[in-house]
Amino acid sequence: VAQRRERVLAATYAECERITALYAKTFALGTSFMSRRKRTAVWAIYVWCRRTDDLVDGPRVEQRSESLRDVLAAWERRLDDVFAGRAHDALDLALVDTIARFPAMDPQPFRDMIAGMLMDVEQDRFPTFDDLYLYCYRVAGTVGLMTLPVMGSADGSDETLMQARESALSLGVALQLTNILRDVGEDRLRGRIYLPLEDLERFGYSEADLMNCVLDSRYKRLMAFQVERAREYFRKAERGIELLSADARLPVRASLDMYRRILDVLEQNGYDNFNKRAYVSKNQKISMLP
């Protein structure tokens, strides 16, 4: 039985690696620098996040809020099973195994991400940055907290790991803010505005302007303000890298630098995220590695 379980687990982790490489190229490149023990765990966590996201973005999305609440409630019950050591399918088994190997993992960030999925469906405007921050925490900051026990601390202590929490959270928020700035044009087509409405108002720029792709000095000032805020979260994240175990620093640093570069490209594009996608090629990413 043990041998069969090991065979199934090996195949399952291989599938987690395939899914991660397919959907999260920057993330996958970062994990390639970790020990296999940590790498497989991060893949398992990523795949759970991906499956959670698919509940909202997949064909079920047409069902909208009420039935989606039921779907997410069932997914949360299934998460409880996974944390209790019960897998419903092979991909669950990878996460069950990961939790057994890294028992400091906490179910709360996983639950918070599920709440973030509901937000994504029910909310297409964010009045203040506090509202947007909550969304960024739930859909991305949570990933930092999920993976932190896998990364481990520089001195192996729980105390240092706790100190690294704010930076782990900040990195997730920085990545999500960067996604939002990169995707303004695409989100507009879906009728969604993630930029805080209070910021639009501050720069005298209206929702109608955004929907009509008005790229003027007001918009550029608005974007410059957003880019600087995202960079501030990257700086907060950077301060915690030295708290991580040695083999986790490079992948975190790589993810941070590669994503932060998107903000530079957005600037170079004259903040035109309506017509140009701020993009960093794989060769550029590799050339940035320390």
Side-chain angles (χ1 to χ4, degrees):
V1 174
Q3 275 186 325
R4 182 173 175 275
R5 180 186 160 88
E6 285 308 310
R7 278 201 308 273
V8 171
L9 263 178
T12 298
Y13 277 122
E15 178 62 5
C16 289
E17 178 182 16
R18 188 191 71 79
I19 292 168
T20 305
L22 187 63
Y23 291 106
K25 294 177 180 63
T26 302
F27 193 65
L29 191 61
T31 63
S32 63
F33 299 102
M34 292 181 188
S35 66
R36 178 155 185 87
R37 176 174 174 268
K38 292 184 179 182
R39 196 161 65 226
T40 51
V42 172
W43 295 336
I45 293 167
Y46 174 79
V47 167
W48 183 88
C49 295
R50 179 80 213 172
R51 295 175 89 189
T52 305
D53 195 48
D54 284 345
L55 295 175
V56 174
D57 284 342
R60 283 198 189 87
V61 80
E62 291 309 311
Q63 298 171 6
R64 282 307 182 230
S65 295
E66 272 321 302
S67 58
L68 194 65
R69 281 178 184 276
D70 295 340
V71 168
L72 291 172
W75 188 243
E76 189 161 348
R77 288 193 296 276
R78 181 164 164 169
L79 174 71
D80 292 338
D81 283 348
V82 166
F83 268 86
R86 295 188 294 275
H88 289 227
D89 64 15
L91 291 174
D92 280 355
L93 186 63
L95 190 56
V96 166
D97 182 65
T98 292
I99 292 162
R101 291 189 292 131
F102 297 94
M105 282 174 64
D106 176 6
Q108 193 56 48
F110 292 82
R111 293 194 189 106
D112 290 341
M113 178 174 273
I114 294 172
M117 296 302 120
L118 196 60
M119 236 176 146
D120 216 3
V121 170
E122 295 188 335
Q123 200 168 341
D124 59 11
R125 298 290 187 278
F126 295 84
T128 68
F129 180 68
D130 284 349
D131 298 316
L132 183 63
Y133 179 87
L134 178 62
Y135 170 73
C136 289
Y137 160 68
R138 285 178 172 172
V139 300
T142 47
V143 181
L145 300 188
M146 291 172 193
T147 53
L148 196 56
V150 174
M151 302 288 181
S153 62
D155 60 3
S157 76
D158 291 341
E159 189 184 352
T160 303
L161 208 58
M162 281 302 290
Q163 286 175 348
R165 274 176 67 90
E166 191 194 345
S167 293
L169 250 175
S170 293
L171 181 57
V173 171
L175 299 181
Q176 189 61 26
L177 289 174
T178 302
N179 280 338
I180 286 167
L181 297 181
R182 184 192 62 197
D183 296 340
V184 167
E186 290 170 33
D187 291 329
R188 175 191 69 88
L189 295 173
R190 295 160 54 223
R192 307 184 74 81
I193 298 176
Y194 287 95
L195 303 175
L197 299 182
E198 66 180 2
D199 294 346
L200 268 69
E201 195 176 326
R202 177 182 305 179
F203 291 95
Y205 192 84
S206 69
E207 288 188 39
D209 289 331
L210 193 146
M211 290 303 177
N212 289 310
C213 303
V214 176
L215 181 64
D216 60 9
S217 60
R218 294 170 304 156
Y219 187 71
K220 290 178 181 180
R221 287 198 304 273
L222 168 65
M223 278 297 110
F225 177 78
Q226 304 298 326
V227 165
E228 181 48 40
R229 178 153 56 200
R231 284 190 176 129
E232 181 53 39
Y233 278 96
F234 277 119
R235 286 191 287 271
K236 283 183 192 172
E238 211 165 14
R239 291 197 280 271
I241 292 177
E242 64 187 21
L243 300 174
L244 299 175
S245 69
D247 67 337
R249 284 175 212 157
L250 181 61
V252 172
R253 159 66 64 194
S255 296
L256 189 152
D257 286 342
M258 288 171 196
Y259 247 83
R260 186 158 54 183
R261 176 87 180 96
I262 292 172
L263 299 174
D264 300 339
V265 176
L266 178 59
E267 281 180 338
Q268 288 157 16
N269 289 345
Y271 299 112
D272 184 359
N273 42 14
F274 295 124
N275 305 300
K276 297 176 185 172
R277 185 175 171 87
Y279 173 73
V280 181
S281 72
K282 185 170 183 179
N283 283 343
Q284 286 172 312
K285 287 174 183 174
I286 289 169
S287 71
M288 279 187 277
L289 294 176

